[in-house]
Structures are given as structure tokens and as C-alpha cells.
Amino acid sequence: MIRKGYSDGPFGQVHWRMLAPEGTPTQPDLYCLHPAPFSGLAFTAIMPHLAQGRRVFAPDYPGYGGSDPFKVEPTIADYAAAMIAVVDDQSGGGPVDLMGFHTGNLVAAEMALTAPEKIRLLAMVDVPAFDTETSAKYRAASAKTFEIVPDLSCLEGPWERGMTKRIESQGPERSFEMFAEQLRPGRLMNKAFHAAFSYDVDARLPAVTHKTLILASQSGLLGATRHAAEIMPSATLVERLDIKRAVLDEAAEITAAEILKFLDRTSL
């Protein structure tokens, strides 16, 4: 059963989910870092597949999910600091393993750079390592606050992202759950996007020296993910182009198998 709890951090309380394995854990804790604009809820389908001999945590960034509200202009470094506080609280300061998805990969990288002794291995899935021009375009678009108006038209974007694009692979109930979750930050829904597109991937990712799995699915991030693997000195790229959608849900078992194979093999 997935448990829920809170840890105090530099920016208030951080909400997390945790699934423990059957029996005593034999492997380091694994922290799953979520994509924008969702929360640790994104990992609930894959957590049972990952909790093999290890505790699996899925925290919510400040301002998202059940965590405390956050400032108007957060950075990836802020999110990383909040996640490190959870590691300190729940895992005694580590070392722990990290899994990132989309935005979560950048948070994982920053955690490895700012607290390298607390991190053992990284597994990055579909990395938004965009070129400067693409990042600038998305950064400008994500700078706007989410406009809340009495008309339902303001929900068209979240509905498209949470329901329309997901319902075939995730079903109506899970899709609606994800649709509702992204609304929780309110006007600041896009701030994690803006932080991600403001992150200097070409300067920061090459500085990560931890052994890293970069797992690429057949998605719009395929080129960016390959770029991340090229610039990270200790990265191993694995392409699973048979995964075409719902990486953490429909393809959860396949995704988890690749991650566990890397974590368990590298720990030998």
C-alpha cells in the first residue's frame, strides 16, 4: 500500500508518497521526480514495479500536489533543495537513487550537482535537453500565469493535456485524475515549466559525473534525450522505441524493468 506523509523543508512542507517492498529493503531508496505540471501522483502506477527490494518515494515539488504553496518564480535549484530535504528526512541523507521523468530529470541532475554525496545513481527518462532556441520559445510561452476565468474555456489546455491525450492509453478515470492534479497549483501551474526551460542544460548536465541511465521512448523528446546522453560523461543511453505512449502507466512494467536492470547491475 502506498503511504503518504510530509517532510519539512526550506520552503515549507513537502508532501510525498512512499511504497515499501515486501520484507526488509536491501537496496537504496529510490526517489521519483515528477514532470510538470503534475505531482508524485504521476508515479503511482509504476511504483509497485519499482519497489523491488527498495523503498520508492514520489515527492511533490513545492507549489504542486499536496506540498505547500511556493513563490512566483521558482528555479530548478529550488526544487532540488526541497527534494534534498526529503532525502535527509526520510533516508538519513542517503545515498539514494533518483529517477526523473521530463522536468524531473533536471531536478535530479541538480540534486546530483548540489549534493553529490547523497546521490548514488540516476535514471533519466525522456530528458528535455532542448537547444537554446527551443528552450527560449517554450520559456516565453510558460512565463504566463494560468488565467482563471469564470468561463470553462480556461480549462481547455489542461483538459487536452490531461484527458484528450491520455484517455486512450490510460482510461477515463486515470486521465481525469491527472487532469485534476495539474489544476492544484492554480495560477502558478506553469511555473515548473518555466523553471525547466530556464535551466541551462548545456552547462549543467555535462557536470554530472554520477553513473546515469538515459532511457528514451518514442516521443517528442527523443532528439533532446539523445542530446542529453551525448553531453553527460557517465551516461548510458538505452532506446526503447517500442514505448510510444504512457511511459509511466501503460508501459510502466517495461520502463521499470529497464530502470531496475540499470540500478541493480550498476550496484554490483
PDB file of all heavy atoms in Angstrom, residues 197-231:
ATOM      1  N   PHE A 197      12.589  25.374 -18.552  1.00  0.00           N
ATOM      2  CA  PHE A 197      13.065  25.992 -19.787  1.00  0.00           C
ATOM      3  C   PHE A 197      14.083  27.104 -19.520  1.00  0.00           C
ATOM      4  O   PHE A 197      14.727  27.585 -20.445  1.00  0.00           O
ATOM      5  CB  PHE A 197      11.889  26.524 -20.599  1.00  0.00           C
ATOM      6  CG  PHE A 197      10.937  25.448 -21.043  1.00  0.00           C
ATOM      7  CD1 PHE A 197       9.566  25.582 -20.839  1.00  0.00           C
ATOM      8  CD2 PHE A 197      11.411  24.290 -21.636  1.00  0.00           C
ATOM      9  CE1 PHE A 197       8.690  24.587 -21.237  1.00  0.00           C
ATOM     10  CE2 PHE A 197      10.539  23.280 -22.032  1.00  0.00           C
ATOM     11  CZ  PHE A 197       9.171  23.431 -21.837  1.00  0.00           C
ATOM     12  N   SER A 198      14.231  27.479 -18.249  1.00  0.00           N
ATOM     13  CA  SER A 198      15.242  28.460 -17.860  1.00  0.00           C
ATOM     14  C   SER A 198      16.534  27.790 -17.403  1.00  0.00           C
ATOM     15  O   SER A 198      17.520  28.477 -17.124  1.00  0.00           O
ATOM     16  CB  SER A 198      14.699  29.355 -16.728  1.00  0.00           C
ATOM     17  OG  SER A 198      13.524  30.029 -17.130  1.00  0.00           O
ATOM     18  N   TYR A 199      16.526  26.484 -17.292  1.00  0.00           N
ATOM     19  CA  TYR A 199      17.675  25.721 -16.789  1.00  0.00           C
ATOM     20  C   TYR A 199      18.694  25.540 -17.914  1.00  0.00           C
ATOM     21  O   TYR A 199      18.352  25.121 -19.023  1.00  0.00           O
ATOM     22  CB  TYR A 199      17.191  24.375 -16.287  1.00  0.00           C
ATOM     23  CG  TYR A 199      18.205  23.566 -15.526  1.00  0.00           C
ATOM     24  CD1 TYR A 199      18.636  23.952 -14.264  1.00  0.00           C
ATOM     25  CD2 TYR A 199      18.712  22.381 -16.063  1.00  0.00           C
ATOM     26  CE1 TYR A 199      19.544  23.179 -13.548  1.00  0.00           C
ATOM     27  CE2 TYR A 199      19.616  21.602 -15.356  1.00  0.00           C
ATOM     28  CZ  TYR A 199      20.035  22.012 -14.104  1.00  0.00           C
ATOM     29  OH  TYR A 199      20.926  21.241 -13.397  1.00  0.00           O
ATOM     30  N   ASP A 200      19.939  25.846 -17.629  1.00  0.00           N
ATOM     31  CA  ASP A 200      20.996  25.768 -18.648  1.00  0.00           C
ATOM     32  C   ASP A 200      21.501  24.331 -18.750  1.00  0.00           C
ATOM     33  O   ASP A 200      22.491  23.947 -18.128  1.00  0.00           O
ATOM     34  CB  ASP A 200      22.139  26.721 -18.284  1.00  0.00           C
ATOM     35  CG  ASP A 200      23.136  26.898 -19.409  1.00  0.00           C
ATOM     36  OD1 ASP A 200      23.124  26.090 -20.364  1.00  0.00           O
ATOM     37  OD2 ASP A 200      23.942  27.848 -19.342  1.00  0.00           O
ATOM     38  N   VAL A 201      20.820  23.527 -19.572  1.00  0.00           N
ATOM     39  CA  VAL A 201      21.160  22.114 -19.654  1.00  0.00           C
ATOM     40  C   VAL A 201      22.565  21.896 -20.220  1.00  0.00           C
ATOM     41  O   VAL A 201      23.278  20.971 -19.795  1.00  0.00           O
ATOM     42  CB  VAL A 201      20.122  21.333 -20.495  1.00  0.00           C
ATOM     43  CG1 VAL A 201      18.777  21.311 -19.792  1.00  0.00           C
ATOM     44  CG2 VAL A 201      19.986  21.912 -21.892  1.00  0.00           C
ATOM     45  N   ASP A 202      22.978  22.726 -21.155  1.00  0.00           N
ATOM     46  CA  ASP A 202      24.294  22.517 -21.773  1.00  0.00           C
ATOM     47  C   ASP A 202      25.438  22.862 -20.829  1.00  0.00           C
ATOM     48  O   ASP A 202      26.579  22.428 -21.048  1.00  0.00           O
ATOM     49  CB  ASP A 202      24.412  23.330 -23.060  1.00  0.00           C
ATOM     50  CG  ASP A 202      23.627  22.695 -24.201  1.00  0.00           C
ATOM     51  OD1 ASP A 202      23.618  21.458 -24.288  1.00  0.00           O
ATOM     52  OD2 ASP A 202      23.015  23.428 -24.998  1.00  0.00           O
ATOM     53  N   ALA A 203      25.158  23.622 -19.791  1.00  0.00           N
ATOM     54  CA  ALA A 203      26.178  23.917 -18.785  1.00  0.00           C
ATOM     55  C   ALA A 203      26.111  22.948 -17.614  1.00  0.00           C
ATOM     56  O   ALA A 203      27.144  22.536 -17.081  1.00  0.00           O
ATOM     57  CB  ALA A 203      26.023  25.348 -18.275  1.00  0.00           C
ATOM     58  N   ARG A 204      24.897  22.560 -17.225  1.00  0.00           N
ATOM     59  CA  ARG A 204      24.743  21.769 -16.003  1.00  0.00           C
ATOM     60  C   ARG A 204      24.854  20.257 -16.235  1.00  0.00           C
ATOM     61  O   ARG A 204      25.528  19.567 -15.459  1.00  0.00           O
ATOM     62  CB  ARG A 204      23.390  22.079 -15.341  1.00  0.00           C
ATOM     63  CG  ARG A 204      23.195  23.536 -14.950  1.00  0.00           C
ATOM     64  CD  ARG A 204      24.245  24.008 -13.966  1.00  0.00           C
ATOM     65  NE  ARG A 204      23.962  23.562 -12.606  1.00  0.00           N
ATOM     66  CZ  ARG A 204      24.827  23.656 -11.600  1.00  0.00           C
ATOM     67  NH1 ARG A 204      26.046  24.145 -11.813  1.00  0.00           N
ATOM     68  NH2 ARG A 204      24.496  23.242 -10.386  1.00  0.00           N
ATOM     69  N   LEU A 205      24.238  19.733 -17.275  1.00  0.00           N
ATOM     70  CA  LEU A 205      24.254  18.283 -17.462  1.00  0.00           C
ATOM     71  C   LEU A 205      25.665  17.711 -17.656  1.00  0.00           C
ATOM     72  O   LEU A 205      25.972  16.643 -17.101  1.00  0.00           O
ATOM     73  CB  LEU A 205      23.349  17.872 -18.632  1.00  0.00           C
ATOM     74  CG  LEU A 205      21.841  18.106 -18.457  1.00  0.00           C
ATOM     75  CD1 LEU A 205      21.068  17.446 -19.586  1.00  0.00           C
ATOM     76  CD2 LEU A 205      21.337  17.603 -17.115  1.00  0.00           C
ATOM     77  N   PRO A 206      26.561  18.369 -18.407  1.00  0.00           N
ATOM     78  CA  PRO A 206      27.904  17.812 -18.550  1.00  0.00           C
ATOM     79  C   PRO A 206      28.689  17.745 -17.245  1.00  0.00           C
ATOM     80  O   PRO A 206      29.680  17.010 -17.156  1.00  0.00           O
ATOM     81  CB  PRO A 206      28.583  18.776 -19.542  1.00  0.00           C
ATOM     82  CG  PRO A 206      27.466  19.392 -20.293  1.00  0.00           C
ATOM     83  CD  PRO A 206      26.364  19.531 -19.293  1.00  0.00           C
ATOM     84  N   ALA A 207      28.264  18.490 -16.237  1.00  0.00           N
ATOM     85  CA  ALA A 207      28.969  18.490 -14.951  1.00  0.00           C
ATOM     86  C   ALA A 207      28.555  17.329 -14.058  1.00  0.00           C
ATOM     87  O   ALA A 207      29.194  17.073 -13.033  1.00  0.00           O
ATOM     88  CB  ALA A 207      28.716  19.815 -14.224  1.00  0.00           C
ATOM     89  N   VAL A 208      27.498  16.607 -14.433  1.00  0.00           N
ATOM     90  CA  VAL A 208      27.041  15.462 -13.646  1.00  0.00           C
ATOM     91  C   VAL A 208      27.959  14.278 -13.924  1.00  0.00           C
ATOM     92  O   VAL A 208      28.068  13.821 -15.062  1.00  0.00           O
ATOM     93  CB  VAL A 208      25.583  15.098 -13.984  1.00  0.00           C
ATOM     94  CG1 VAL A 208      25.150  13.852 -13.201  1.00  0.00           C
ATOM     95  CG2 VAL A 208      24.652  16.261 -13.677  1.00  0.00           C
ATOM     96  N   THR A 209      28.610  13.771 -12.888  1.00  0.00           N
ATOM     97  CA  THR A 209      29.556  12.663 -13.055  1.00  0.00           C
ATOM     98  C   THR A 209      29.015  11.333 -12.547  1.00  0.00           C
ATOM     99  O   THR A 209      29.666  10.297 -12.723  1.00  0.00           O
ATOM    100  CB  THR A 209      30.881  12.975 -12.335  1.00  0.00           C
ATOM    101  OG1 THR A 209      30.617  13.200 -10.945  1.00  0.00           O
ATOM    102  CG2 THR A 209      31.554  14.201 -12.938  1.00  0.00           C
ATOM    103  N   HIS A 210      27.856  11.332 -11.937  1.00  0.00           N
ATOM    104  CA  HIS A 210      27.261  10.083 -11.468  1.00  0.00           C
ATOM    105  C   HIS A 210      26.894   9.195 -12.660  1.00  0.00           C
ATOM    106  O   HIS A 210      26.504   9.679 -13.717  1.00  0.00           O
ATOM    107  CB  HIS A 210      25.982  10.367 -10.672  1.00  0.00           C
ATOM    108  CG  HIS A 210      26.201  11.119  -9.400  1.00  0.00           C
ATOM    109  ND1 HIS A 210      26.605  12.433  -9.378  1.00  0.00           N
ATOM    110  CD2 HIS A 210      26.057  10.740  -8.098  1.00  0.00           C
ATOM    111  CE1 HIS A 210      26.702  12.838  -8.118  1.00  0.00           C
ATOM    112  NE2 HIS A 210      26.391  11.828  -7.327  1.00  0.00           N
ATOM    113  N   LYS A 211      27.012   7.889 -12.456  1.00  0.00           N
ATOM    114  CA  LYS A 211      26.559   6.959 -13.493  1.00  0.00           C
ATOM    115  C   LYS A 211      25.064   7.148 -13.712  1.00  0.00           C
ATOM    116  O   LYS A 211      24.283   7.193 -12.750  1.00  0.00           O
ATOM    117  CB  LYS A 211      26.869   5.529 -13.085  1.00  0.00           C
ATOM    118  CG  LYS A 211      28.363   5.203 -13.100  1.00  0.00           C
ATOM    119  CD  LYS A 211      28.617   3.749 -12.753  1.00  0.00           C
ATOM    120  CE  LYS A 211      30.115   3.436 -12.784  1.00  0.00           C
ATOM    121  NZ  LYS A 211      30.400   2.030 -12.423  1.00  0.00           N
ATOM    122  N   THR A 212      24.686   7.280 -14.970  1.00  0.00           N
ATOM    123  CA  THR A 212      23.320   7.665 -15.303  1.00  0.00           C
ATOM    124  C   THR A 212      22.775   6.808 -16.440  1.00  0.00           C
ATOM    125  O   THR A 212      23.442   6.630 -17.464  1.00  0.00           O
ATOM    126  CB  THR A 212      23.258   9.142 -15.734  1.00  0.00           C
ATOM    127  OG1 THR A 212      23.765   9.965 -14.681  1.00  0.00           O
ATOM    128  CG2 THR A 212      21.836   9.564 -16.057  1.00  0.00           C
ATOM    129  N   LEU A 213      21.579   6.284 -16.250  1.00  0.00           N
ATOM    130  CA  LEU A 213      20.831   5.674 -17.338  1.00  0.00           C
ATOM    131  C   LEU A 213      19.980   6.756 -17.979  1.00  0.00           C
ATOM    132  O   LEU A 213      19.258   7.477 -17.285  1.00  0.00           O
ATOM    133  CB  LEU A 213      19.921   4.563 -16.814  1.00  0.00           C
ATOM    134  CG  LEU A 213      18.855   4.066 -17.808  1.00  0.00           C
ATOM    135  CD1 LEU A 213      19.502   3.301 -18.951  1.00  0.00           C
ATOM    136  CD2 LEU A 213      17.805   3.210 -17.100  1.00  0.00           C
ATOM    137  N   ILE A 214      20.057   6.876 -19.296  1.00  0.00           N
ATOM    138  CA  ILE A 214      19.144   7.750 -20.024  1.00  0.00           C
ATOM    139  C   ILE A 214      18.283   6.858 -20.903  1.00  0.00           C
ATOM    140  O   ILE A 214      18.781   6.206 -21.830  1.00  0.00           O
ATOM    141  CB  ILE A 214      19.896   8.808 -20.846  1.00  0.00           C
ATOM    142  CG1 ILE A 214      20.631   9.754 -19.898  1.00  0.00           C
ATOM    143  CG2 ILE A 214      18.936   9.570 -21.741  1.00  0.00           C
ATOM    144  CD1 ILE A 214      21.303  10.928 -20.575  1.00  0.00           C
ATOM    145  N   LEU A 215      17.014   6.801 -20.577  1.00  0.00           N
ATOM    146  CA  LEU A 215      16.063   5.927 -21.262  1.00  0.00           C
ATOM    147  C   LEU A 215      15.196   6.764 -22.188  1.00  0.00           C
ATOM    148  O   LEU A 215      14.519   7.698 -21.735  1.00  0.00           O
ATOM    149  CB  LEU A 215      15.204   5.190 -20.240  1.00  0.00           C
ATOM    150  CG  LEU A 215      14.149   4.222 -20.780  1.00  0.00           C
ATOM    151  CD1 LEU A 215      14.794   3.114 -21.605  1.00  0.00           C
ATOM    152  CD2 LEU A 215      13.331   3.632 -19.630  1.00  0.00           C
ATOM    153  N   ALA A 216      15.237   6.449 -23.460  1.00  0.00           N
ATOM    154  CA  ALA A 216      14.490   7.216 -24.460  1.00  0.00           C
ATOM    155  C   ALA A 216      13.331   6.388 -24.999  1.00  0.00           C
ATOM    156  O   ALA A 216      13.516   5.239 -25.420  1.00  0.00           O
ATOM    157  CB  ALA A 216      15.409   7.622 -25.604  1.00  0.00           C
ATOM    158  N   SER A 217      12.151   6.983 -24.983  1.00  0.00           N
ATOM    159  CA  SER A 217      10.996   6.358 -25.625  1.00  0.00           C
ATOM    160  C   SER A 217      10.755   7.045 -26.970  1.00  0.00           C
ATOM    161  O   SER A 217      11.418   8.028 -27.314  1.00  0.00           O
ATOM    162  CB  SER A 217       9.755   6.481 -24.734  1.00  0.00           C
ATOM    163  OG  SER A 217       9.284   7.823 -24.708  1.00  0.00           O
ATOM    164  N   GLN A 218       9.798   6.512 -27.716  1.00  0.00           N
ATOM    165  CA  GLN A 218       9.448   7.132 -28.999  1.00  0.00           C
ATOM    166  C   GLN A 218       8.505   8.299 -28.723  1.00  0.00           C
ATOM    167  O   GLN A 218       7.304   8.174 -28.723  1.00  0.00           O
ATOM    168  CB  GLN A 218       8.759   6.111 -29.906  1.00  0.00           C
ATOM    169  CG  GLN A 218       8.400   6.621 -31.291  1.00  0.00           C
ATOM    170  CD  GLN A 218       9.615   6.919 -32.143  1.00  0.00           C
ATOM    171  OE1 GLN A 218      10.076   8.065 -32.182  1.00  0.00           O
ATOM    172  NE2 GLN A 218      10.143   5.912 -32.804  1.00  0.00           N
ATOM    173  N   SER A 219       9.091   9.458 -28.444  1.00  0.00           N
ATOM    174  CA  SER A 219       8.289  10.625 -28.068  1.00  0.00           C
ATOM    175  C   SER A 219       8.873  11.870 -28.698  1.00  0.00           C
ATOM    176  O   SER A 219       9.922  11.826 -29.357  1.00  0.00           O
ATOM    177  CB  SER A 219       8.267  10.790 -26.543  1.00  0.00           C
ATOM    178  OG  SER A 219       9.514  11.300 -26.078  1.00  0.00           O
ATOM    179  N   GLY A 220       8.202  12.994 -28.476  1.00  0.00           N
ATOM    180  CA  GLY A 220       8.696  14.263 -28.986  1.00  0.00           C
ATOM    181  C   GLY A 220       9.993  14.706 -28.347  1.00  0.00           C
ATOM    182  O   GLY A 220      10.628  15.659 -28.817  1.00  0.00           O
ATOM    183  N   LEU A 221      10.411  14.022 -27.283  1.00  0.00           N
ATOM    184  CA  LEU A 221      11.659  14.355 -26.605  1.00  0.00           C
ATOM    185  C   LEU A 221      12.817  13.462 -27.039  1.00  0.00           C
ATOM    186  O   LEU A 221      13.895  13.522 -26.443  1.00  0.00           O
ATOM    187  CB  LEU A 221      11.478  14.234 -25.085  1.00  0.00           C
ATOM    188  CG  LEU A 221      10.624  15.304 -24.414  1.00  0.00           C
ATOM    189  CD1 LEU A 221      10.466  14.994 -22.932  1.00  0.00           C
ATOM    190  CD2 LEU A 221      11.220  16.680 -24.599  1.00  0.00           C
ATOM    191  N   LEU A 222      12.628  12.661 -28.078  1.00  0.00           N
ATOM    192  CA  LEU A 222      13.663  11.709 -28.472  1.00  0.00           C
ATOM    193  C   LEU A 222      14.970  12.412 -28.835  1.00  0.00           C
ATOM    194  O   LEU A 222      16.049  12.031 -28.357  1.00  0.00           O
ATOM    195  CB  LEU A 222      13.174  10.860 -29.646  1.00  0.00           C
ATOM    196  CG  LEU A 222      14.151   9.804 -30.170  1.00  0.00           C
ATOM    197  CD1 LEU A 222      14.600   8.856 -29.064  1.00  0.00           C
ATOM    198  CD2 LEU A 222      13.503   9.013 -31.319  1.00  0.00           C
ATOM    199  N   GLY A 223      14.903  13.449 -29.657  1.00  0.00           N
ATOM    200  CA  GLY A 223      16.116  14.165 -30.040  1.00  0.00           C
ATOM    201  C   GLY A 223      16.782  14.835 -28.854  1.00  0.00           C
ATOM    202  O   GLY A 223      18.013  14.785 -28.699  1.00  0.00           O
ATOM    203  N   ALA A 224      15.982  15.451 -27.996  1.00  0.00           N
ATOM    204  CA  ALA A 224      16.520  16.122 -26.813  1.00  0.00           C
ATOM    205  C   ALA A 224      17.143  15.113 -25.849  1.00  0.00           C
ATOM    206  O   ALA A 224      18.162  15.388 -25.207  1.00  0.00           O
ATOM    207  CB  ALA A 224      15.417  16.912 -26.114  1.00  0.00           C
ATOM    208  N   THR A 225      16.540  13.934 -25.742  1.00  0.00           N
ATOM    209  CA  THR A 225      17.065  12.893 -24.860  1.00  0.00           C
ATOM    210  C   THR A 225      18.405  12.372 -25.373  1.00  0.00           C
ATOM    211  O   THR A 225      19.351  12.150 -24.599  1.00  0.00           O
ATOM    212  CB  THR A 225      16.050  11.743 -24.739  1.00  0.00           C
ATOM    213  OG1 THR A 225      14.810  12.257 -24.245  1.00  0.00           O
ATOM    214  CG2 THR A 225      16.548  10.662 -23.790  1.00  0.00           C
ATOM    215  N   ARG A 226      18.497  12.187 -26.671  1.00  0.00           N
ATOM    216  CA  ARG A 226      19.774  11.766 -27.256  1.00  0.00           C
ATOM    217  C   ARG A 226      20.856  12.820 -27.021  1.00  0.00           C
ATOM    218  O   ARG A 226      22.018  12.479 -26.761  1.00  0.00           O
ATOM    219  CB  ARG A 226      19.590  11.517 -28.752  1.00  0.00           C
ATOM    220  CG  ARG A 226      18.807  10.248 -29.083  1.00  0.00           C
ATOM    221  CD  ARG A 226      18.441  10.181 -30.548  1.00  0.00           C
ATOM    222  NE  ARG A 226      17.859   8.880 -30.898  1.00  0.00           N
ATOM    223  CZ  ARG A 226      17.212   8.645 -32.033  1.00  0.00           C
ATOM    224  NH1 ARG A 226      17.054   9.620 -32.924  1.00  0.00           N
ATOM    225  NH2 ARG A 226      16.724   7.443 -32.295  1.00  0.00           N
ATOM    226  N   HIS A 227      20.473  14.086 -27.090  1.00  0.00           N
ATOM    227  CA  HIS A 227      21.436  15.162 -26.834  1.00  0.00           C
ATOM    228  C   HIS A 227      21.941  15.089 -25.394  1.00  0.00           C
ATOM    229  O   HIS A 227      23.135  15.252 -25.137  1.00  0.00           O
ATOM    230  CB  HIS A 227      20.789  16.513 -27.104  1.00  0.00           C
ATOM    231  CG  HIS A 227      21.667  17.678 -26.762  1.00  0.00           C
ATOM    232  ND1 HIS A 227      22.882  17.910 -27.370  1.00  0.00           N
ATOM    233  CD2 HIS A 227      21.516  18.684 -25.849  1.00  0.00           C
ATOM    234  CE1 HIS A 227      23.442  18.995 -26.871  1.00  0.00           C
ATOM    235  NE2 HIS A 227      22.636  19.480 -25.939  1.00  0.00           N
ATOM    236  N   ALA A 228      21.030  14.829 -24.453  1.00  0.00           N
ATOM    237  CA  ALA A 228      21.440  14.706 -23.046  1.00  0.00           C
ATOM    238  C   ALA A 228      22.474  13.602 -22.885  1.00  0.00           C
ATOM    239  O   ALA A 228      23.465  13.758 -22.168  1.00  0.00           O
ATOM    240  CB  ALA A 228      20.221  14.437 -22.166  1.00  0.00           C
ATOM    241  N   ALA A 229      22.247  12.470 -23.554  1.00  0.00           N
ATOM    242  CA  ALA A 229      23.192  11.357 -23.451  1.00  0.00           C
ATOM    243  C   ALA A 229      24.549  11.715 -24.037  1.00  0.00           C
ATOM    244  O   ALA A 229      25.590  11.261 -23.549  1.00  0.00           O
ATOM    245  CB  ALA A 229      22.622  10.127 -24.157  1.00  0.00           C
ATOM    246  N   GLU A 230      24.548  12.544 -25.061  1.00  0.00           N
ATOM    247  CA  GLU A 230      25.805  12.949 -25.706  1.00  0.00           C
ATOM    248  C   GLU A 230      26.654  13.844 -24.815  1.00  0.00           C
ATOM    249  O   GLU A 230      27.890  13.781 -24.859  1.00  0.00           O
ATOM    250  CB  GLU A 230      25.504  13.675 -27.021  1.00  0.00           C
ATOM    251  CG  GLU A 230      24.953  12.777 -28.118  1.00  0.00           C
ATOM    252  CD  GLU A 230      24.479  13.571 -29.315  1.00  0.00           C
ATOM    253  OE1 GLU A 230      24.520  14.842 -29.246  1.00  0.00           O
ATOM    254  OE2 GLU A 230      24.068  12.963 -30.317  1.00  0.00           O
ATOM    255  N   ILE A 231      26.015  14.683 -24.004  1.00  0.00           N
ATOM    256  CA  ILE A 231      26.769  15.672 -23.241  1.00  0.00           C
ATOM    257  C   ILE A 231      27.045  15.254 -21.802  1.00  0.00           C
ATOM    258  O   ILE A 231      27.810  15.924 -21.104  1.00  0.00           O
ATOM    259  CB  ILE A 231      26.066  17.046 -23.254  1.00  0.00           C
ATOM    260  CG1 ILE A 231      24.705  16.991 -22.549  1.00  0.00           C
ATOM    261  CG2 ILE A 231      25.921  17.569 -24.672  1.00  0.00           C
ATOM    262  CD1 ILE A 231      24.011  18.342 -22.435  1.00  0.00           C
TER     263      ILE A 231
END
